Amino acid sequence: MVRRVLLAAAFGLAGCDLSYAGLYVACDGGNFPGATCVGPGGSTGGTTATGTAGGGGSSTGLSTTGASSGGGSHFTSGGTSAGNSTSGTGTGSTGAAATTGGSTSGGTSGGSTSGSVGSSSSSSSSSGATATGGTSSSGGSTGAPCIEGGTPAGSVAYGVPDWSPSWLTLLAGTPDTRGSTLGAGDLPLFDELEGLASDGAGHLFVADDGNDVIREIDLATGAVTTIAGQKGVAGSADGIGTQATFSGPDWLAYNPAGFLYIADGSNATIRQMDLSSGKVTTVAGTLGDPQGCEIGNGLSAGFDGLGALAFDGNHTLYVAVTFCFGFVALDTNSWNETLVAGQFGGSPCGYQDGTTAQSAFSYAGAVAYVNGSLYTADSSAAFCSGAGDTLRLIDLDAGTVSTVAGAAGQAGSTDAVGTAARFNVPEAVVYDGVGNLYVGDGNNQTIRKVALPGYGVTTVAGDVGVAGSSDGVGATAQFDSLAGLAVGGGDLFAADFVNQEIREYFPDGGLVTTVAGSLGVTGSADSNAGPALLDKPIASVFDGVDTLYVTDSGDHTIKAIDVQTGAVSLVSGTPGVSAIQDGANPTFIGPNGLAYDGNGHLFVTDGNDSEVTRLLDLASGVVTTVVGTAGQGGCALGTGAGGEWNAQGQLAYDGNGHLYVANTFCFDIVEVDTCSWTQTLVAGSNNGSDTCAYKDGPALQAQFSYAGAFAADFSASAGAGILYIVDSGAPFCSGVGGTVRKLDLNTMMVSTIAGSAGVTTSKDGVGAAAGFHFPGYVAYDGLGSLFIQDGDSTVRMLNLATDAVTTVLGTHGSSGVVLGPAPGGLEQPSNLLVAPGPTLYVPDSKAAVVFMAR
């Protein structure tokens, strides 16, 4: 599960009731003098003092009766909106209109209607503007609810500072396949993950016990497929691939000759799968005799509780037989079985070192082969006492068993050398091939590394004694019941049993990431097999719980993706219908930019040239056009439909009734008051007169060569707020753009922080030494890093503390979907989003998918 953490500064917001909003800060946090917390639905907002904020109080709600008065642009000192608070009668999506100086302005579109003070203006005239395939209704801010309070952008910390995505996977859609099919996404699901095995060449095999199948993960593409068994069908039939059946397959071992060995738990048999043909054959064990402890040949052998398997690279398969309390060897040529160590059912709960014939084990469930020896994690069976919690060595040449780390019956988590170290129910062990054992230390919820031959034990990942599912480095990572372990490509893979996830540990740096699966969600879905299809996903926002809202521009709709399951559902619009129609059955032309207010409303830019902003009430489904008029572009700001826009870009909401909009080809940034829908210039000089210009300095004197993308930080530490603007340079401009710029709303100054104007090249570096290739959308992670979509199919990260730019996803000069370890491969990433985890969501408009990187 992704972790959700508030910024430390957010906890200091006096009087804030955060309970209803979960992780989100629900008030302005002191950015504007006199601001107080606003509850869900906007229950009575506090009076805003003059100065940085416009005068006039508010007593409004999104769903409660009441109207807003005053509250104009917070760059206006006093007067322009210093009206009296007026009660109103409108509720829900037809709230009372905002008042300015005591009179209520009705929404306008092709004409205006003046409402009386405090009355709803829902009867205002509708627009006659025609859009492709339909007619616009209810233009401007007619009937629009007053939006105050909610979630300011950039107010939430999502994880560990200075993080960088290390794994790219697919959340929804099928690469390069367009459509509007709803349903399951492509997120793979498992049920009781147990054993893992790696072929060392990019393929991980998984024993999916609860589904009775064997799955394969292609680590290069992220694809998960079922290669043997039938999902949910328990059986013992041999056959090809999915013709075969299993009953609780638990543990796996890989033979480089192209075979996979499977401990089929409930059948008490060993199965062999020929990976080239898919053929599954039962090679050892007596079917239907799960309590036998018989040394025999092939099918006459008896196993009670099959444990882990280990192959020696030649022709011997070693098997831990848990409740026979011993270890056997199977010759994979003859399938003849011999006893290696233990009493094999004779002395349950024993613990004795010495010769292999004298040795006893309290639990024989784990085994790893290392250069002529076996290592086992003796965790002690649940019904045993005073034994276990050790790492033991079975020397096959000397015929001896010895305890090499931990002390029998002494549970703990101490890192130390040899028997001074402590374990707490170690349950899995694997050798990395370069001198280290890794142990899954069960009750400690950690991964321990044991250096050979000195047996120095160190904890390399996990928070001791804490069950969870955090990705991260070292102790910041969390697990919940580690099962099988496997090593492939130098990395360690772990089956996280309770979390239903496959985790990867990178020894170089100590990072733990989630490779596949969905936290706590059981199922049997393969990836790249779901029916969900997208057309042209552009922007996304997260609701703070489990839903990602996406503008599917090519399908003319807004969709929701469940980030836990990948399921895709339609939220608003009619697939394939291009028109601007407001109301309870709305349609869209090309929904583009997207912002969420934290209180159940989405702001959506729309129109043939993104001339309008529309408001979607998620509870009622009602859509209202609140800014601009469809088909009427320009650079004349106004109120509601009275304003003219030229290609609205990214949006940001400050949590205090102000929406910031990138007015792309008017080359400026505009603030929209979400009660009066009044538009105020924030940076740039408007009217499109500064085409291709580039100038830092005071905000209203600054010039932009492209003003389509920005990310906002409205956290308490940012004061009035900071906007980070990506100035890519319009295609028809030369000698400008290719930079990241900063608009400080406290000082109202614009400055360039990375890249050099007019230099269009992909180059990592610091500040002006970095280069971008027509950068576009940008996202802020709430911690100090920006993620920027660059024009050469990459995502770049800008560390705001150091101004260092690095490429984190995609490869310069290469376009194509490549899942797996970062940087992976992208085609045309669009509007980025960082959500809890931290997780970076990357809609790809060309590949028609939504990626997930963490």
Side-chain angles (χ1 to χ4, degrees), residues 35-54:
T36 60
C37 290
V38 179
S43 57
T44 310
T47 301
T48 303
T50 58
T52 56

Side-chain angles (χ1 to χ4, degrees), residues 266-435:
S266 296
N267 284 325
T269 58
I270 304 292
R271 318 284 292 276
Q272 175 183 265
M273 181 177 182
D274 185 328
L275 293 170
S276 62
S277 67
K279 184 178 180 179
V280 175
T281 307
T282 302
V283 295
T286 303
L287 180 66
D289 185 17
Q291 296 181 347
C293 292
E294 300 292 333
I295 302 297
N297 180 270
L299 302 184
S300 67
F303 306 109
D304 184 3
L306 282 167
L309 310 176
F311 186 67
D312 71 349
N314 190 7
H315 59 85
T316 303
L317 179 69
Y318 293 95
V319 183
V321 191
T322 308
F323 297 117
C324 292
F325 302 95
F327 298 84
V328 299
L330 291 174
D331 186 308
T332 58
N333 293 322
S334 65
W335 297 111
N336 188 55
E337 178 188 22
T338 56
L339 180 62
V340 172
Q343 302 304 303
F344 214 67
S347 302
C349 294
Y351 192 99
Q352 183 173 324
D353 289 340
T355 67
T356 54
Q358 298 171 336
S359 64
F361 299 84
S362 64
Y363 191 84
V367 63
Y369 177 84
V370 182
N371 301 327
S373 297
L374 299 180
Y375 287 92
T376 180
D378 194 332
S379 63
S380 179
F383 49 80
C384 294
S385 61
D389 295 319
T390 61
L391 180 68
R392 304 176 73 183
L393 167 66
I394 303 172
D395 189 320
L396 298 173
D397 294 329
T400 59
V401 175
S402 58
T403 299
V404 294
Q410 298 184 36
S413 60
T414 304
D415 286 345
V417 175
T419 55
R422 294 291 180 268
F423 300 92
N424 194 344
V425 191
E427 295 181 315
V429 59
V430 69
Y431 181 56
D432 69 354
V434 293

